Structures are given as structure tokens and as C-alpha cells.
């Protein structure tokens, strides 16, 4: 369950202090909008930053004990006085929350508009390893396969599974800005999904990353077939294959997943 949902449940029983990153100047540990919340016996989420977070927790505890936030906005210089060397300045907003604030938490804290949209085609071992990793990251994932009963019974909160036959039909309905990973059980399906992505990119230009799992020889074969389908060299250059950051050579599904997700994150934001 997401942190903001757990916080909602806690607020039904006890007050909390919400700490939000309101502004960052220079280098800071987290982005604007990052948050944490403290109840008398629990801590939810994180604003990062080591000593910065310790200081924020102390301020939140003091506000809980007093029943009021004495200084709603505090400035923190991330220098020697705080025992940190980031060099930036972070402004934290402190708010006392109660049961009346439960209804508005999703709009304020879910941050769904800041999630990386990913479309993953393929429910095999590597696909499952990638889902397990993306499920713990700020990503919103559409997981597509043409086979029945391929998906596990339980999925991470931000993952939606979709059966599509033919599998490439799902490409037209992907969220704009989706980063696409293609790793189905079939090379023929992979080829059709790549072609559908290139066609959508030609028409809309809204798929920033199209990645195909496999070897250089697989891509060389696909490249010739896609050229025969009428795609240009410029259009084919939009496909990344093989996928994953360079220098990671392991073939275990979990190792491949780390390399692939790292590459997605490099191009996000």
C-alpha cells in the first residue's frame, strides 16, 4: 500500500505533521513536492538527506507535542552547520494534519503526474523482474502480453496488466510519453510491436524511448525487415537494441532488469 494511503488510515486515529519540500536552490537530496509525515508512533515516506531529515523529524515531533506548527516554512542550508556538503538550500513546509484532511491527501501527495510512464510488452522472466523493480520506483506501468493467464495474481499498485491479441494493438492506446520495452516470448510479436511503435512515432512523435531486448544480430535481422516495411534509417535509429546500460554483462533476469531500468531512468525527467 502506498505511503499516502497508510497516512490516510493513520489520520483517522491520530494527528500527523506533514513535511514537504517546497523549494530547492542548488543541490538538494529530493525534488520539490517530496514529502514525509510523522505521527506519534510512525514515519511515512522520506525527504532524504540524512541530517536534514533528522532535523525535520525533530521539528515535526516538537510540533506534534505542542499541537501547533510554530514555524510553517523553514530554510535549511546544506553546509557545515548541518553536517552536510550538498551546498544547496532546501525550504521545508510543516503542516499539522488531522482527520479532516484525509480526503485531500491523494491529490496532494500521490504525485501520479510525476510518475514515469512505462509500457512493457512481455510477461516472461525478465519482464517479471523488471515489474518487481519498477513497482518500487516512481513509475506507472502498463504490462502487456498476448497469452492468457501469464500475469501473476498480485501486482504492484502502479502496474496494470492487459491481455492484448494481437499484442501490437495495445500500442495505439499507450499513454503519451511512454517508455516502451519489448520482450515478448516471440520474435514475430516483437517485430510487430516495434513496427507499431515506429508507426505511432511517425504519426505522433510521443514515444521517447523504444527498447528491444536481444542481441545485435537480432536487431540486424529486425532492421532489414523493418526497412522492407517502409521505415527509414532515421526512424530505425529511434529504437534502442540491445537494451540496458553498458558494462553490465550478467544474464540473470534480475541483473538485466537493473541494467534496463537504469537506462530508463537516465532518460526520464
Amino acid at each position: 500500500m502506498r505511503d499516502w494511503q497508510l497516512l490516510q488510515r493513520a489520520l483517522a486515529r491520530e494527528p500527523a505533521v506533514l513535511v514537504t519540500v517546497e523549494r530547492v536552490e542548488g543541490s538538494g537530496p529530493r525534488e520539490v513536492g517530496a514529502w514525509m509525515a510523522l505521527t506519534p508512533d510512525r514515519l511515512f515516506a522520506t525527504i532524504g538527506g540524512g541530517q536534514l531529515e533528522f532535523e525535520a523529524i525533530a521539528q515535526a515531533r516538537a510540533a506534534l507535542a505542542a499541537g501547533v506548527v510554530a514555524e510553517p516554512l523553514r530554510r535549511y542550508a546544506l553546509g557545515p552547520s548541518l553536517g552536510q556538503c550538498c551546498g544547496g538550500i532546501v525550504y521545508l513546509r510543516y503542516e499539522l494534519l488531522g482527520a479532516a484532511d484525509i480526503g485531500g491527501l491523494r491529490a496532494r501527495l500521490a504525485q501520479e503526474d510525476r510518475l514515469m510512464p512505462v509500457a512493457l510488452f512481455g510477461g516472461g522472466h525478465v519482464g517479471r523482474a523488471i515489474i518487481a523493480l519498477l513497482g518500487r520506483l516512481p513509475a506507472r506501468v502498463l504490462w502487456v502480453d498476448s497469452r492468457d493467464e501469464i500475469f501473476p495474481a498480485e501486482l504492484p499498485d502502479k502496474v496494470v496488466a492487459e491481455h492484448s491479441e494481437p499484442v501490437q494493438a495495445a500500442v495505439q492506446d499507450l499513454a503519451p510519453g511512454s517508455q516502451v520495452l519489448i520482450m515478448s516470448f516471440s520474435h514475430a510479436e516483437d517485430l510487430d510491436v516495434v513496427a507499431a511503435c515506429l508507426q505511432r512515432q511517425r504519426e505522433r512523435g510521443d514515444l521517447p524511448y523504444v527498447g528491444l531486448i536481444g542481441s545485435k544480430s537480432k536487431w540486424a535481422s529486425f532492421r532489414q525487415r523493418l526497412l522492407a516495411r517502409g521505415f527509414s534509417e532515421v526512424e530505425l535509429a529511434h529504437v534502442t537494441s540491445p537494451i540496458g546500460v553498458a558494462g553490465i554483462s550478467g544474464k540473470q533476469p534480475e541483473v538485466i532488469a537493473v541494467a534496463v531500468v537504469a537506462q530508463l531512468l537516465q532518460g526520464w525527467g
Side-chain angles (χ1 to χ4, degrees), residues 24-30 48-52 76-80 82-90:
V24 179
E25 298 173 0
S27 178
R30 288 294 306 274
Q51 188 61 35
L52 171 66
Y76 295 87
L78 305 182
L82 203 60
Q84 297 188 235
C85 56
C86 297
I89 298 173
V90 175

Side-chain angles (χ1 to χ4, degrees), residues 73-98:
L73 184 65
R74 291 179 63 92
R75 176 185 182 274
Y76 295 87
L78 305 182
S81 64
L82 203 60
Q84 297 188 235
C85 56
C86 297
I89 298 173
V90 175
Y91 294 82
L92 298 181
R93 172 75 61 183
Y94 293 83
E95 301 172 70
L96 189 64
L97 302 181

Side-chain angles (χ1 to χ4, degrees), residues 40-61:
D41 58 3
R42 289 200 63 180
L43 177 67
F44 303 91
T46 178
I47 58 167
Q51 188 61 35
L52 171 66
E53 186 162 273
F54 292 147
E55 292 280 340
I57 289 171
Q59 290 294 325
R61 282 179 175 155

Side-chain angles (χ1 to χ4, degrees), residues 228-246:
R229 292 193 186 191
F231 294 105
S232 69
E233 292 282 7
V234 172
E235 289 174 311
L236 296 186
H238 190 66
V239 179
T240 298
S241 186
I243 53 176
V245 295

Side-chain angles (χ1 to χ4, degrees), residues 7 11 14-22 33-39 56 59-65 67-74 76 91-99 101 104-105 108-109:
L7 177 58
L11 283 173
E14 56 192 359
V17 171
L18 176 67
V19 184
T20 308
V21 178
E22 181 155 309
W35 64 276
M36 72 175 186
L38 189 80
T39 66
Q59 290 294 325
R61 282 179 175 155
L64 275 176
V68 63
V69 175
E71 190 176 352
L73 184 65
R74 291 179 63 92
Y76 295 87
Y91 294 82
L92 298 181
R93 172 75 61 183
Y94 293 83
E95 301 172 70
L96 189 64
L97 302 181
D101 300 298
L105 282 182
R108 295 190 58 191
L109 304 181

